């Protein structure tokens, strides 16, 4: 039995499992339009996930061939993974924000060796110890790396343009650009009366931007062809959160966990969480530290010693996102001439 929830007003969600992942599932939303049903996100590219998606649609008396279009909140594989198969079997259009479509194209074109070279350089610059970098060097030298995830991902054929009403006959759905979790993440605002007349401003499909019990990962917008980018993803994310807080939707339909109300309250919690984290980071920088040393000292969901190799890379990326925010705020700076570069509070 597929897990399907009816949210009223021609909106449903289907739990599509993410195999071997503590997140459990992606909530794929189905929205009725005058041209046929449209999906918001698709789920992980795996036969089990595909079966759950099609079983969920069957419960709504829909076949995959009925799908008219697919809106993707962001390029991550638990959202975009099944897009190719959905498009292939239904002929549906596939839309994404241009900034994330860029990432999809880049990933498809990437050579594992180029990516490993980039990662090695980044980690060395962050002050990672040799024993952490060595396995990457070995993998690169042997050419023995698995293919990168995302190589099969479908390139979208339509662009989600924020601000305008999306061309969905019979519905008032508008994209709000919410960069931070990824550069092209969008939330989708259903600018229609809440079906249960809940007070507030319509409903929001929030993707991974706003989740009831998870703080989304904020890393760097990595580009192996350009290691000099100094974007500020955490700053982007915080600004995107405030945008959603001001919107004050009556209900949030996120892509994981469950639907919830009080979007403004959840936004405040997340803003406070990052403020606290930045304050703790600034306190750590009473002494000069490399990005790696900062990552080792920041609080994660388990002790640093227990964090596996790949997750440490993600942690370093998240530490650097916080560090860049502090530097932008004028609360920390790089020590000139330090190599690897060390940062200190100012
Ligand atoms: Zn994501
Ligand atoms: Zn996700």
């Amino acid at each position: 039995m597929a897990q399907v929830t009816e949210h009223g007003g021609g909106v449903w969600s289907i739990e599509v499992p993410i195999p071997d992942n503590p997140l459990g599932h992606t909530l794929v939303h189905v929205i009725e339009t005058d041209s046929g049903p449209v999906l918001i996100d698709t789920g992980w590219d795996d036969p089990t996930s595909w079966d759950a998606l099609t079983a969920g649609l069957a419960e709504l008396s829909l076949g995959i061939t009925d799908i008219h279009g697919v809106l993707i909140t962001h390029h991550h594989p638990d959202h975009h993974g099944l897009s190719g198969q959905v498009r292939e079997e239904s002929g549906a259009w596939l839309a994404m924000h241009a900034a994330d479509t860029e990432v999809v194209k880049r990933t498809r074109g990437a050579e594992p060796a180029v990516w490993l070279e980039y990662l090695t350089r980044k980690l060395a610059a962050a002050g990672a110890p040799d024993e952490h970098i060595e396995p990457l060097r070995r993998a690169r030298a042997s050419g023995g790396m698995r293919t990168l995830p995302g190589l099969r991902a479908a390139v979208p054929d339509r662009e989600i343009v924020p601000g305008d009403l999306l061309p969905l006959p019979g519905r008032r759905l508008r994209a709000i650009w919410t960069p931070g979790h990824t550069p092209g993440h969008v939330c989708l605002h259903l600018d229609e009366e809440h079906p249960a007349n809940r007070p507030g401003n319509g409903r929001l499909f929030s993707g991974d931007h706003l989740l009831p019990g998870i703080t989304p990962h904020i890393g760097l917008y990595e580009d192996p062809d350009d290691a000099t980018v100094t974007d500020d993803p955490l700053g982007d994310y915080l600004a995107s959160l405030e945008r959603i807080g001001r919107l004050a939707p009556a209900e949030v339909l996120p892509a994981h966990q469950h639907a919830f109300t009080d979007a403004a309250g959840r936004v405040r919690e997340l803003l406070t969480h990052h403020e606290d984290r930045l304050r703790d980071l600034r306190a750590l920088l009473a002494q000069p530290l490399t990005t790696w040393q900062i990552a080792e000292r920041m609080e994660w969901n388990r002790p640093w010693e227990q964090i596996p190799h790949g997750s440490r890379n993600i942690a370093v990326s998240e530490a650097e996102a916080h560090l860049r925010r502090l530097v932008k705020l004028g609360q920390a700076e790089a020590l000139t001439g330090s190599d690897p570069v060390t940062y200190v509070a100012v």
Side-chain angles (χ1 to χ4, degrees):
M1 260 304 257
Q3 296 297 314
V4 180
T5 304
E6 178 162 13
H7 296 283
V11 176
W12 297 264
S13 60
I14 302 171
E15 284 186 14
V16 177
I18 314 173
D20 305 319
N21 188 302
L23 260 182
H25 59 259
T26 305
L27 293 170
V28 172
H29 288 92
V30 185
I31 169 167
E32 211 167 52
T33 80
D34 291 346
S35 307
V38 166
L39 297 184
I40 299 177
D41 291 331
T42 57
W44 192 270
D45 184 7
D46 184 88
T48 329
S49 317
W50 175 258
D51 290 347
L53 177 63
T54 50
L57 290 172
E59 264 181 55
L60 302 175
S61 307
L62 294 171
I64 199 75
T65 51
D66 296 319
I67 301 302
H68 172 65
V70 182
L71 295 159
I72 301 291
T73 58
H74 65 297
H75 73 81
H76 285 163
D78 51 325
H79 302 257
H80 181 44
L82 282 173
S83 299
Q85 198 170 350
V86 171
R87 181 166 63 186
E88 218 165 274
E89 302 210 9
S90 66
W93 47 259
L94 177 57
M96 190 184 271
H97 186 279
D100 266 28
T101 297
E102 249 335 282
V103 178
V104 171
K105 288 183 180 160
R106 205 160 64 212
T107 310
R108 281 173 65 105
E111 295 282 338
V114 172
W115 174 252
L116 283 170
E117 156 74 29
Y118 165 76
L119 202 57
T120 305
R121 230 179 325 123
K122 282 287 291 185
L123 286 164
D130 266 349
E131 74 255 25
H132 181 83
I133 300 179
E134 206 31 53
L136 297 170
R137 287 209 183 98
R138 273 202 308 273
R140 189 168 167 253
S142 68
M145 199 206 185
R146 295 175 288 131
T147 51
L148 294 169
L151 288 177
R152 261 160 54 96
V155 177
D157 46 74
R158 287 199 189 182
E159 184 180 336
I160 294 181
V161 181
D164 302 342
L165 275 182
L166 298 171
L168 303 183
R171 308 292 322 215
R172 292 181 56 81
L173 191 69
R174 212 184 291 276
I176 304 173
W177 187 31
T178 48
H181 180 60
T182 68
H185 190 289
V186 291
C187 291
L188 297 162
H189 182 220
L190 190 58
D191 189 7
E192 297 171 4
E193 195 80 9
H194 189 280
N197 288 315
R198 275 210 186 110
N201 188 7
R203 290 185 279 178
L204 187 78
F205 299 99
S206 65
D208 279 359
H209 180 61
L210 192 63
L211 299 163
I214 298 169
T215 307
H217 165 70
I218 309 298
L220 305 177
Y221 305 151
E222 313 270 9
D223 181 356
D225 298 327
D226 186 0
T228 63
V229 279
T230 52
D231 42 45
D232 176 17
L234 181 57
D236 292 347
Y237 178 67
L238 298 174
S240 300
L241 270 183
E242 286 175 358
R243 202 169 303 147
I244 295 309
R246 283 193 297 274
L247 182 73
E251 190 176 16
V252 180
L253 303 171
H256 301 289
Q257 301 187 301
H258 54 81
F260 63 102
T261 53
D262 193 17
R266 182 62 185 142
V267 163
R268 274 195 304 278
E269 271 175 24
L270 286 165
L271 289 172
T272 307
H273 165 83
H274 286 289
E275 264 166 37
D276 292 351
R277 225 157 173 218
L278 285 168
R279 201 196 42 235
D280 293 350
L281 176 55
R282 188 155 185 247
L284 281 177
L285 291 174
Q287 51 165 330
L289 295 171
T290 65
T291 311
W292 179 271
Q293 290 168 329
I294 291 163
E296 280 179 327
R297 288 163 176 74
M298 279 172 76
E299 261 188 55
W300 306 105
N301 60 0
R302 61 203 133 161
W304 184 255
E305 297 68 43
Q306 291 170 23
I307 299 179
H309 189 273
S311 302
R312 286 186 178 189
N313 296 339
I314 296 169
V316 168
S317 175
E318 178 127 3
E320 191 169 340
H322 281 78
L323 198 50
R324 283 191 194 174
R325 184 88 278 260
L326 270 193
V327 170
K328 266 231 160 110
L329 291 169
Q331 296 184 9
E333 65 184 18
L335 285 182
T336 39
S338 54
D339 182 23
V341 61
T342 56
Y343 294 86
V344 69
V346 290

